[in-house]
Amino acid sequence: MALSRLDLRLRPCGALKGRAMQGNAMIQMRDVVLVGGGHTHALLLRMWAMKPLAGARLTLINPDPTAAYSGMLPGFVAGHYSRDALDIDLVQLARFAGARLILGAASALDVERGEVHIPGRPSIGYDLCSIDVGITSAMPDLPGFAEHGIPAKPLADFAARWHQFRTGTNPARIAVIGGGIAGVELVLAMTHALRELGRDAEAHLIDRGAILKGMAAQTVAKMRAALDDYGVTVIEDAEVASVGRDHVTLTDGRQIISDFTTGAAGARPYGWLTRTGLDHTDGFLNISAELQTSDPRVFAVGDCAAMTHAPRPKAGVYAVRQAPVLLANLRACLMEKPLRSYRPQKDYLKLVSMGGKRALAERTGYAVSGGLMWRWKDHIDQKFMARFQDLQPMPPAPLPRDRVAGLADALGPKPLCGGCGSKVGRGALREVLAALPAPSRADIHALPGDDAALLRVGGQQQVLSTDHLSSLTDDPYVMARIAAIHALGDIWAMGAAPQAATVSVILPRLSDALTKRTLSEIMTGASEVLREAGADIVGGHSSVGAALTIGYSITGLTEAPVTLAGARPGDVLILTKPIGSGTVMAAEMQLQAKGAWVAEAVRYMQRSQAEASRLLARAHAMTDVTGFGLAGHLLNICQASGCAAELQTGHVPLLPGALELARQGVRSTLFPQNTAMHPGLQSDPLTDLMLDPQTAGGLLAAIPEADCPGVLRDLRAAGFPAVRVGHLLAGAPMVKFVTG
């Protein structure tokens, strides 16, 4: 059948999966999109996990895999908490809630089309949307601040910059612009931390009026005393004219020397909110008692919202208490039921850090301070963060009472993981393929051990390969990109230039609207990767199944194919990507991997190997490192080339977190079958990672030793973390593992 256009029509699910698929499979019908990982949304995700709504697909959009908790920021700055203690892991939380996580910063909201725009990727469609993006302390109108200042919010950026600054050795000169409670907390915490590190600290707190304006008299007196104790110079009734690299200039001409200038002068909304067309007050989205904006499909919570029905100052306590109302109202909209109202309290307990392990508690004008207040604040903060820690995967549904003997053992103690793309081991497939008749056509050259074939077409050599992956991330755009890189690996490993591709997509059951949205994301991701690689999509098919699966059949052209069979004793082995994706993604499904580790693994899996393939075009042998693991694919080279290999395990680059997870006993589902390829091998965490199945892994090339320095130099200049990981030896095909 000619594939002149994409055939993306869904076939009837009954024709594919039978009666069970028709009767029992759940269909997702409505998209609920959460923009921002603020406190309200974090709590909502946790509550959603406890009671999900059938038929709804939940999506979280956030720039980073973690969200910093503002209540513990002063404690982190002062040195009381580690950096990790500050973060809510959104990757784990989204997995726990069964939500898609899109790592990206929203830049616009199209309320007419019902779409959230994210630079660098397709828009995300929604039926209901909630915005919880917080605020910023950036000062775009203050000359020099964008270049030399550090906003106190977003918290993650500030925390990273502060960590770098505090570890220095020079005298520390700091300035905080903004004398509200946030600025006072911050300058006290910074000064305390620098003193504890033995650094001479010179601190200034600058405000255009009086500091702590609007706070109770007792609070002002106690906080001023704390500033005096820490030697902070308070400059009031002073306007800042500009910020330089090492100073702050005031409008009266004074210059304040500062190597670390931060802004905490009030809350500012993100500029894109004013361009949504939604009603706002000074950029903060106006919301009703039901937390809805002027568009009833769009909700807003936390500091980015203005409670016009009950104006209140910006405070985390309101965001926390909005969460159950937001959850109830999103569910009510989806179920066509009445909405609830949120009624904020008029006053609340304020707990303010005072630098060291002392805090101030203030309510209704009365203030108490001391170590007991710090312990109270610490208890409240730790209790809040405990809600997002030690999340456990939801248990699988119990097996039927009546079942085939041995079914429980066959399924194993854990569900099939996505660390290996839900692939089967090489043994079964190789046995079946070996039993087939050899190719009878003269224009087909099947290569032993290679995953691609060589075809002769009109005097040219064409490479043909196919591959597919079950979803290891719920972001269909990213999954399409990863699957494309994975499938292109066989083409690149033969030194070929990608030519054409067909796409095969299996979608879970979705409504027509969600099907269109999901396919649009998939095809955009696929097209981007394949076009960048020099190939065109020429057709495709789609169907419905139990889970998202994306595959590609790809052709490439080459004049001098690089196969597995050309390696020679004395060749050195070069690897172009770190390994460990199988372990990291298996841990992600078990809620054991840190979000930052997962984000880095996903980033590497989307890294094209096109330029690496070109730079390695003169290799004697080459393969892409995928399901058999690094050692398994190296063994393939040895078997095809008739030689042995020495793999220096200590030289192999690893993805962040992979070794730590391996030490914890995390293994991908395919790991036991990869282990069977190396009988007698002594297991340890590092060695086991050599057997870890990879998704969209790097290229492993055997090249002459004399070429190694130049090739490594060129690869690294092109941005590849290429490393020499071993060499080939004369002898029977085998892989010898060498530590060091």
Side-chain angles (χ1 to χ4, degrees):
M1 175 181 176
L3 294 174
S4 58
R5 62 182 177 83
L6 285 177
D7 177 16
L8 295 176
R9 294 168 294 177
L10 291 180
R11 303 169 187 168
C13 60
L16 295 168
K17 291 294 181 181
R19 293 166 60 188
M21 187 67 179
Q22 293 180 47
N24 299 327
M26 188 61 65
I27 182 170
Q28 292 178 317
M29 299 181 61
R30 305 283 294 279
D31 269 323
V32 180
V33 176
L34 309 178
V35 181
H39 303 348
T40 310
H41 282 174
L43 288 167
L44 183 144
L45 284 164
R46 191 181 187 281
M47 292 185 288
W48 185 282
M50 300 296 104
K51 192 178 180 181
L53 184 63
R57 180 170 68 174
L58 189 62
T59 299
L60 172 66
I61 301 171
N62 197 69
D64 302 304
T66 59
Y69 171 48
S70 59
M72 294 174 71
L73 178 66
F76 161 73
V77 172
H80 307 320
Y81 303 121
S82 68
R83 179 64 184 87
D84 287 346
L86 195 65
D87 284 338
I88 298 171
D89 194 313
L90 297 178
V91 174
Q92 291 187 5
L93 188 57
R95 170 67 69 178
F96 182 67
R100 298 194 301 167
L101 175 60
I102 308 296
L103 291 178
S107 61
L109 187 76
D110 187 333
V111 295
E112 295 295 326
R113 296 174 60 89
E115 292 180 344
V116 182
H117 294 177
I118 306 168
R121 61 159 298 138
S123 299
I124 302 297
Y126 66 83
D127 296 294
L128 290 177
C129 178
S130 177
I131 303 173
D132 185 14
V133 295
I135 54 178
T136 177
S137 298
M139 301 178 178
D141 299 328
L142 179 58
F145 187 86
E147 295 80 13
H148 307 296
I150 302 105
K153 292 187 177 182
L155 303 182
D157 294 340
F158 173 84
R161 297 282 293 274
W162 171 249
H163 176 73
Q164 182 181 11
F165 178 80
R166 63 178 287 194
T167 55
T169 57
N170 297 329
R173 300 168 298 186
I174 59 176
V176 175
I177 303 172
I181 197 65
V184 173
E185 268 192 305
L186 202 54
V187 76
L188 289 172
M190 294 164 72
T191 309
H192 173 83
L194 294 170
R195 282 189 176 185
E196 290 294 300
L197 292 169
R199 297 181 64 184
D200 294 331
E202 182 180 327
H204 289 81
L205 178 66
I206 307 167
D207 196 276
R208 65 177 59 184
I211 66 168
L212 299 170
K213 187 176 180 180
M215 300 297 294
Q218 288 187 18
T219 298
V220 175
K222 289 178 180 292
M223 297 305 287
R224 281 188 179 275
L227 291 168
D228 288 341
D229 289 344
Y230 276 103
V232 176
T233 301
V234 178
I235 302 176
E236 299 176 279
D237 301 315
E239 288 277 356
V240 176
S242 64
V243 176
R245 181 182 59 82
D246 59 0
H247 65 276
V248 175
T249 301
L250 305 181
T251 54
D252 61 11
R254 284 181 289 173
Q255 282 196 344
I256 310 300
I257 303 301
S258 174
D259 304 307
F260 190 95
T261 302
T262 187
R268 288 176 171 80
Y270 288 96
W272 66 269
L273 296 178
T274 64
R275 299 188 292 272
T276 60
L278 300 171
D279 293 347
H280 64 88
T281 300
D282 298 326
F284 297 99
L285 296 177
N286 295 340
I287 59 172
S288 66
E290 293 76 27
L291 308 179
Q292 290 172 301
T293 65
S294 53
D295 185 326
R297 299 174 304 161
V298 180
F299 293 73
V301 288
D303 287 346
C304 69
M307 294 185 286
T308 53
H309 66 288
R312 295 290 188 276
K314 303 300 179 185
V317 64
Y318 300 121
V320 169
R321 296 187 179 182
Q322 286 172 340
V325 178
L326 176 63
L327 175 66
N329 286 349
L330 290 175
R331 291 174 63 93
C333 285
L334 294 168
M335 300 169 70
E336 299 182 353
K337 292 184 176 182
L339 276 60
R340 286 174 49 184
S341 294
Y342 169 67
R343 304 190 185 283
Q345 68 268 40
K346 294 183 179 180
D347 195 13
Y348 63 95
L349 175 68
K350 304 171 186 66
L351 286 167
V352 184
S353 296
M354 302 179 72
K357 290 189 175 181
R358 297 177 68 250
L360 178 143
E362 185 258 302
R363 188 168 187 174
T364 63
Y366 295 97
V368 180
S369 62
L372 179 61
M373 297 301 102
W374 161 261
R375 291 191 291 274
W376 189 10
K377 174 175 169 40
D378 177 64
H379 171 74
I380 292 173
D381 289 337
Q382 298 286 6
K383 184 178 179 180
F384 177 81
M385 291 298 289
R387 303 185 197 188
F388 309 106
Q389 296 164 354
D390 298 324
L391 301 174
Q392 297 298 319
M394 293 298 177
L399 293 175
R401 185 187 64 179
D402 296 330
R403 59 180 184 265
V404 172
L407 178 61
D409 293 336
L411 289 173
K414 60 183 181 181
L416 186 68
C417 79
C420 52
S422 299
K423 293 293 191 72
V424 299
R426 76 168 187 170
L429 181 59
R430 283 201 167 187
E431 287 181 18
V432 173
L433 289 174
L436 297 177
S440 59
R441 295 180 58 101
D443 55 357
I444 295 178
H445 183 195
L447 302 168
D450 275 293
D451 292 329
L454 278 174
L455 313 177
R456 288 203 169 274
V457 181
Q460 286 189 307
Q461 293 191 88
Q462 186 181 56
V463 179
L464 172 64
S465 184
T466 186
D467 214 328
H468 70 279
L469 292 172
S470 293
S471 181
L472 49 82
T473 172
D474 289 330
D475 182 342
Y477 167 76
V478 169
M479 191 61 227
R481 291 177 57 86
I482 291 172
I485 296 292
H486 187 82
L488 284 163
D490 291 328
I491 307 296
W492 287 324
M494 296 190 74
Q499 178 192 23
T502 58
V503 187
S504 176
V505 181
I506 300 175
L507 292 174
R509 291 196 70 191
L510 303 169
S511 67
D512 289 345
L514 268 63
T515 294
K516 184 176 179 180
R517 290 171 185 169
T518 304
L519 282 175
S520 176
E521 293 182 51
I522 289 171
M523 298 311 299
T524 300
S527 178
E528 287 176 355
V529 171
L530 290 163
R531 279 295 180 95
E532 182 184 342
D536 285 319
I537 296 176
V538 295
H541 291 276
S542 63
S543 60
V544 173
L548 175 64
T549 301
I550 304 174
Y552 302 86
S553 294
I554 304 179
T555 62
L557 299 175
T558 179
E559 296 181 358
V562 183
T563 69
L564 297 178
R568 307 165 191 173
D571 283 351
V572 299
L573 296 165
I574 289 179
L575 179 65
T576 63
K577 275 188 184 181
I579 67 171
S581 65
T583 295
V584 172
M585 299 312 293
E588 189 273 331
M589 293 193 69
Q590 301 169 42
L591 301 179
Q592 292 181 255
K594 293 182 180 180
W597 298 345
V598 175
E600 189 69 354
V602 169
R603 185 181 73 84
Y604 266 110
M605 284 188 277
Q606 295 181 75
R607 178 70 197 272
S608 169
Q609 298 294 284
E611 181 64 9
S613 174
R614 187 186 69 80
L615 294 172
L616 292 165
R618 295 176 61 186
H620 289 157
M622 188 155 58
T623 184
D624 61 327
V625 180
T626 52
F628 303 152
L630 175 60
H633 284 283
L634 177 53
L635 181 60
N636 284 349
I637 290 179
C638 293
Q639 291 172 338
S641 301
C643 56
E646 188 173 273
L647 180 62
Q648 295 172 288
T649 58
H651 292 186
V652 176
L654 305 176
L655 286 170
L659 185 57
E660 181 174 335
L661 291 167
R663 287 171 176 158
Q664 295 172 16
V666 176
R667 301 291 184 273
S668 173
T669 309
L670 202 56
F671 174 78
Q673 296 184 56
N674 286 353
T675 303
M677 298 164 60
H678 307 273
L681 183 64
Q682 295 297 312
S683 175
D684 66 71
L686 181 57
T687 299
D688 288 353
L689 284 172
M690 304 301 113
L691 313 175
D692 184 47
Q694 303 302 289
T695 297
L699 297 176
L700 177 66
I703 66 171
E705 185 168 17
D707 293 348
C708 183
V711 170
L712 283 176
R713 181 184 63 248
D714 293 343
L715 285 168
R716 290 167 181 169
F720 297 96
V723 176
R724 175 175 173 169
V725 295
H727 57 275
L728 296 171
L729 309 165
M734 65 165 292
V735 176
K736 180 182 179 182
F737 293 74
V738 178
T739 59

